[in-house]
Amino acid sequence: MNVYDSDRMSASLQTKGYRVEPNPANADVILINTCSIRAKSEQKVLSLLGQLRPLKKKNPEMVIGVAGCVGQRMGRTLLQRVPHLDLVFGPDSIDRVFDLVESARRHGKRAVDTQMDGPGRTYTQPAVIHEAKPAEFLTIMKGCDHFCTYCIVPFVRGREKSRPIAEVLDDVRKLVARGTREVTFLGQNINTYGKGTPENLAQLIEQTHAIEGLERIRYVTSHPRDLGTDLIEQFGRLEKLCPSLHLPFQSGSDRILKRMSRLYTREQYLEKIRLLKQACPEIALSTDIIVGFPGETEEDFQSSIDVVREVGFTMAYMFKYSPRPGTRAFAYEGEEVPESVKDERLARLQDIAMAPIEAGNVALIGTKTPVLIESMDKKALYYSGRSPHNRRVHVLNAGDACIGKILEVEVTEANASNLRGYYVGAPRLDRRSQEGLPAPVCHA
Ligand code: SF4
């Protein structure tokens, strides 16, 4: 969502005459878009702001701003803490970015804009399309009505609001007309898209599926309680709906799930997994897991390991619990799991979770998979994209002309995080072993 918001800010400014300057030292405006989901990401923002101080000293006209959830959470405090910061604004102010930046540049006044949208179940936010990438994110809703006790999101992004289906479809059509082949719908709790209106996510998926030229549809993030049977059955029926789903379980212990206020039990979670596999046996499932939530015992932790073993995820994102001021869990004083125990549990869980994920990827060596090529990697050694099952695939013999194409790729190497292989329609030139780069090839 933050990548999408950053692109949106960038596109808004570019449509008004700004251009992207890769070297911060030469920029007139530096905006840092931020995440406050964990304490560490907030610390990183402060450290980056410290690094920017010499640039501001050299060029006092430069405007430095902090956007997003840290801006929303800290507001004026951040401005007071960082004297060389000009602008602080939250996620709901992103559409005002041009006015905010212009005002800071013209009047030289430091400003805070953390005003959140008023009440209501809908909002409109047509995409600012500056360029369309082969695979695009599209925010369709914002905020969250769940108050998981560890989570800062409802405080910094507000209550749930959805964009109308007609507006979202219009964006998708515009993106497709400019070359987008895959769209990922974004929402904090996307299964309840349309809540309080006659529209819902299943309808949006059906109608998006009918758009000609679009090849792939995905959505994140799902909540195990709100993932309904209407959404589950679509995985077995709709060709363009990619067979992959991110379904965080956070803890395998019912006691901890209750303390997290996740509103489901481990059995209910596993039942959703069973239904998903029944609807779409090839579905690739990924998850989020928190270790060391206040009060988590070794037995609770073992329950999380059991779920990992039982489901067979294709990817798992594992985190140590990070206390966030203002949340309910922040007040669970005296029940903190010691940092050393969290570290040990995280390491243990990572070993247990990642071994089968790697084995699963290695088992794909020799198979073929369609890959939508999105970009070249930073070292220019391969082109990269994703399989329908959301695996990152590096293609060793592709060229510029392949960007935006779906290539049939034979997998020849694999590790826990990605696959590598060759596009079957071109000679096996390996970019990694070439002095110069091979001529771009693409017959797709
Ligand atoms: S459902 Fe997700 S975004 Fe909403 S409060 Fe829970 S963890 Fe946060």
Side-chain angles (χ1 to χ4, degrees):
M1 190 165 277
N2 269 6
V3 170
Y4 175 82
D5 285 346
S6 300
D7 285 350
R8 193 171 171 85
M9 284 192 276
S10 174
S12 293
L13 292 171
Q14 287 182 70
T15 53
K16 300 276 172 88
Y18 282 79
R19 63 174 174 78
V20 176
E21 168 52 58
N23 181 357
N26 299 332
D28 298 310
V29 179
I30 298 178
L31 297 177
I32 307 170
N33 197 16
T34 59
C35 171
S36 62
I37 203 91
R38 302 172 56 71
K40 200 171 168 188
S41 41
E42 288 198 3
Q43 286 150 14
K44 280 186 183 172
V45 176
L46 292 169
S47 140
L48 178 55
L49 283 168
Q51 289 164 32
L52 294 177
R53 192 181 1 205
L55 300 186
K56 176 80 176 180
K57 213 172 164 192
K58 224 168 142 189
N59 174 13
E61 302 290 299
M62 175 186 276
V63 167
I64 300 180
V66 168
C69 293
V70 175
Q72 187 68 38
R73 200 182 81 73
M74 296 183 77
R76 196 158 294 282
T77 316
L78 191 58
L79 214 56
Q80 283 159 357
R81 252 178 98 167
V82 185
H84 58 283
L85 183 61
D86 302 287
L87 210 51
V88 176
F89 56 102
D92 278 3
S93 312
I94 276 171
D95 286 335
R96 296 192 283 275
V97 63
F98 175 72
D99 292 339
L100 289 166
V101 164
E102 281 294 293
S103 159
R105 292 187 71 191
R106 278 214 197 104
H107 311 300
K109 264 175 62 183
R110 306 174 78 209
V112 177
D113 182 350
T114 49
Q115 189 169 352
M116 294 177 92
D117 291 353
R121 280 295 177 190
T122 57
Y123 76 108
T124 72
Q125 190 187 66
V128 184
I129 303 171
H130 189 70
E131 57 179 22
K133 297 190 277 295
E136 281 282 356
F137 294 119
L138 204 52
T139 289
I140 61 167
M141 63 187 295
K142 58 185 179 183
C144 184
D145 286 352
H146 284 309
F147 278 81
C148 301
T149 56
Y150 54 84
C151 182
I152 192 81
V153 165
F155 302 95
V156 289
R157 296 238 176 206
R159 298 297 88 76
E160 273 178 41
K161 284 188 174 61
S162 302
R163 297 175 58 202
I165 285 186
E167 185 183 282
V168 175
L169 293 177
D170 199 45
D171 279 357
V172 177
R173 285 191 201 98
K174 282 184 192 147
L175 288 167
V176 169
R178 287 168 171 79
T180 293
R181 316 271 310 261
E182 172 182 313
V183 70
T184 301
F185 292 133
L186 302 176
Q188 245 84 36
N189 182 25
I190 200 148
N191 308 136
T192 53
Y193 166 80
K195 184 174 166 185
T197 79
E199 303 185 328
N200 63 41
L201 184 61
Q203 292 165 1
L204 174 64
I205 302 295
E206 297 283 349
Q207 292 179 43
T208 307
H209 196 266
I211 293 179
E212 221 171 288
L214 185 73
E215 309 267 355
R216 293 178 173 186
I217 305 167
R218 303 181 196 270
Y219 56 82
V220 279
T221 297
S222 289
H223 187 288
R225 194 196 67 166
D226 299 322
L227 182 76
T229 46
D230 53 345
L231 293 168
I232 292 175
E233 67 86 20
Q234 287 181 328
F235 283 102
R237 183 168 55 80
L238 300 179
E239 234 177 55
K240 294 180 184 177
L241 183 62
C242 288
S244 73
L245 186 75
H246 186 68
L247 196 61
F249 76 84
Q250 308 299 15
S251 170
S253 153
D254 285 346
R255 197 178 70 83
I256 295 296
L257 286 172
K258 200 163 180 195
R259 286 168 64 83
M260 289 176 165
S261 193
R262 287 291 287 174
L263 311 175
Y264 54 85
T265 63
R266 163 205 169 113
E267 266 327 300
Q268 286 165 338
Y269 179 86
L270 291 172
E271 175 62 8
K272 294 278 163 99
I273 296 289
R274 196 184 62 73
L275 292 172
L276 281 161
K277 288 183 176 175
Q278 195 179 57
C280 178
E282 58 164 318
I283 197 162
L285 297 161
S286 57
T287 199
D288 293 334
I289 312 160
I290 295 172
V291 301
F293 187 78
E296 184 190 70
T297 62
E298 176 62 25
E299 201 183 326
D300 295 320
F301 174 65
Q302 283 298 333
S303 304
S304 295
I305 290 179
D306 292 345
V307 173
V308 166
R309 289 203 165 114
E310 188 164 342
V311 175
F313 295 105
T314 53
M315 185 43 78
Y317 303 93
M318 295 157 273
F319 306 93
K320 286 190 290 178
Y321 166 71
S322 173
R324 308 305 299 123
T327 59
R328 254 199 292 158
F330 193 74
Y332 291 171
E333 272 169 36
E335 298 181 77
E336 296 90 348
V337 174
E339 214 47 38
S340 57
V341 175
K342 282 193 212 171
D343 285 338
E344 186 275 327
R345 284 184 189 161
L346 181 64
R348 218 172 349 139
L349 183 63
Q350 282 170 334
D351 283 348
I352 291 167
M354 295 315 284
I357 290 172
E358 179 158 5
N361 284 354
V362 169
L364 295 171
I365 292 176
T367 64
K368 296 188 182 104
T369 186
V371 179
L372 171 59
I373 305 295
E374 295 171 36
S375 57
M376 182 190 258
D377 82 302
K378 285 189 188 120
K379 292 184 190 155
L381 294 177
Y382 38 72
Y383 285 78
S384 167
R386 279 181 300 161
S387 73
H389 300 88
N390 213 17
R391 290 187 175 91
R392 176 64 53 193
V393 185
H394 301 316
V395 186
L396 302 163
N397 62 337
D400 267 351
C402 296
I403 291 179
K405 303 259 168 51
I406 295 179
L407 305 184
E408 190 72 1
V409 174
E410 183 176 336
V411 179
T412 55
E413 301 165 44
N415 59 33
S417 55
N418 59 58
L419 309 175
R420 288 167 194 223
Y422 293 91
Y423 164 41
V424 298
R428 285 198 172 194
L429 287 165
D430 189 335
R431 300 180 72 89
R432 296 172 301 183
S433 59
Q434 301 287 308
E435 288 267 306
L437 297 176
V441 285
C442 187
H443 308 292

